[in-house]
């Protein structure tokens, strides 16, 4: 019901260039801190809510939905689970996802490319993940933030990808495939 009452905002109506709400998880994937620090260098407003490990102070669902609705780019970093809600959320709220590769786990062979997201490369050097080619990534982000047509192209393609491949049925097929691989 909360989501139904939100009026989806267009590119020019969105307040934040990017948003991220969640834990940093440096022990799991330290590149989260690096990408957030890189994004802070971009001119314009952003929303960032970093939770500590045992932090119980949460946003309300309505506040979280409003932040997503007000954001152009949503940081959807690699995390603990393959079935993260972070990946379909940009499709629901008309955002462009900012996703790392190759470490982002996505179900059912979802295409992840420069036609449907802002993709950045990470590499593991001695157990520490780093962002590869930060200048190239900043350029991709700037193009998206400064070009309404490009923004719409990416967000619409991501929506189609999620709509076609992130259904309950498709995710169930993925789980079944993983089970069969292990039997």
């Amino acid at each position: 019901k909360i989501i139904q009452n939100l009026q989806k905002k267009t590119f020019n109506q969105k307040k934040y260039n990017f948003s991220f709400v969640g834990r940093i998880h440096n022990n799991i994937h330290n590149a989260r801190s690096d990408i957030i620090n890189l994004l802070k260098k971009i001119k314009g407003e952003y929303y960032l809510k970093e939770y500590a490990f045992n932090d119980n102070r949460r946003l309300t669902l309505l506040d979280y939905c409003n932040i997503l609705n007000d954001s152009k780019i949503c940081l959807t970093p690699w995390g603990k689970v393959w079935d993260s809600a972070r990946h379909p959320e940009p499709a629901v709220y008309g955002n462009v996802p900012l996703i790392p590769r190759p470490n982002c786990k996505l179900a059912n062979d979802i295409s992840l490319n420069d036609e449907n997201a802002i993709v950045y490369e990470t590499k593991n050097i001695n157990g520490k993940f780093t962002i590869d080619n930060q200048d190239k990534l900043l350029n991709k982000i700037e193009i998206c933030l400064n070009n309404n047509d490009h923004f719409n192209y990416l967000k619409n393609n991501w929506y189609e990808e999620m709509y076609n491949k992130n259904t309950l049925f498709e995710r169930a097929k993925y789980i079944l495939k993983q089970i069969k691989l292990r039997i």
Side-chain angles (χ1 to χ4, degrees), residues 67-131:
I67 290 163
L68 291 174
N69 197 32
D70 254 336
S71 301
K72 293 178 182 171
I73 296 171
C74 286
L75 180 56
T76 57
W78 184 82
K80 293 181 188 180
V81 297
W82 66 268
D83 194 22
S84 174
R86 289 196 190 280
H87 306 308
E89 284 173 345
V92 172
Y93 294 96
N95 315 119
V96 173
L98 177 61
I99 304 178
R101 186 176 47 208
N103 302 301
C104 187
K105 298 174 183 177
L106 298 170
N108 196 38
D109 301 321
I110 291 173
S111 287
L112 177 59
N113 55 57
D114 289 332
E115 300 297 313
N116 63 12
I118 300 172
V119 181
Y120 61 98
E121 304 293 331
T122 60
K123 57 186 172 184
N124 186 337
I125 301 174
N126 299 323
K128 180 173 172 36
F129 286 93
T130 61
I131 299 168

Side-chain angles (χ1 to χ4, degrees), residues 17-18 38-44 46 138 141-142 145:
N17 282 340
F18 77 90
L38 183 67
L39 291 172
K40 287 179 180 178
K41 295 178 183 179
I42 296 170
K43 290 181 183 176
Y46 59 86
L138 284 172
I141 293 168
E142 291 292 341
L145 292 175

Side-chain angles (χ1 to χ4, degrees), residues 4-180:
Q4 292 173 346
N5 293 333
L6 287 177
Q7 204 57 18
K8 199 182 273 189
K9 294 187 177 183
T10 64
F11 178 82
N12 290 325
Q13 293 172 320
K14 291 180 180 280
K15 178 179 178 179
Y16 304 117
N17 282 340
F18 77 90
S19 64
F20 175 74
V21 176
R23 292 190 180 112
I24 298 303
H25 292 303
N26 279 328
N27 57 327
I28 297 171
H29 198 294
N30 55 280
R32 278 188 179 194
S33 295
D34 292 346
I35 191 67
I36 289 170
N37 290 333
L38 183 67
L39 291 172
K40 287 179 180 178
K41 295 178 183 179
I42 296 170
K43 290 181 183 176
E45 288 191 58
Y46 59 86
Y47 187 90
L48 178 61
K49 173 67 175 151
E50 299 176 45
Y51 291 115
F53 180 69
N54 289 322
D55 195 346
N56 292 324
R57 297 169 290 144
R58 300 277 188 226
L59 294 171
T60 67
L61 179 58
L62 180 59
D63 287 342
Y64 182 65
C65 292
N66 279 318
I67 290 163
L68 291 174
N69 197 32
D70 254 336
S71 301
K72 293 178 182 171
I73 296 171
C74 286
L75 180 56
T76 57
W78 184 82
K80 293 181 188 180
V81 297
W82 66 268
D83 194 22
S84 174
R86 289 196 190 280
H87 306 308
E89 284 173 345
V92 172
Y93 294 96
N95 315 119
V96 173
L98 177 61
I99 304 178
R101 186 176 47 208
N103 302 301
C104 187
K105 298 174 183 177
L106 298 170
N108 196 38
D109 301 321
I110 291 173
S111 287
L112 177 59
N113 55 57
D114 289 332
E115 300 297 313
N116 63 12
I118 300 172
V119 181
Y120 61 98
E121 304 293 331
T122 60
K123 57 186 172 184
N124 186 337
I125 301 174
N126 299 323
K128 180 173 172 36
F129 286 93
T130 61
I131 299 168
D132 197 24
N133 201 338
Q134 290 186 9
D135 291 335
K136 181 179 177 182
L137 173 57
L138 284 172
N139 186 50
K140 288 181 186 182
I141 293 168
E142 291 292 341
I143 290 169
C144 182
L145 292 175
N146 294 311
N147 185 322
N148 186 2
D149 291 337
H150 185 67
F151 169 84
N152 286 325
Y153 176 75
L154 293 175
K155 74 140 175 121
N156 290 338
N157 287 344
W158 187 253
Y159 175 86
E160 288 300 317
E161 194 70 20
M162 291 294 102
Y163 181 79
N164 292 316
K165 296 183 181 175
N166 200 43
T167 64
L168 185 59
F169 179 68
E170 292 299 323
R171 292 176 353 185
K173 285 185 351 187
Y174 174 82
I175 292 169
L176 185 59
K177 178 181 170 185
Q178 295 303 312
I179 291 170
K180 287 180 180 179

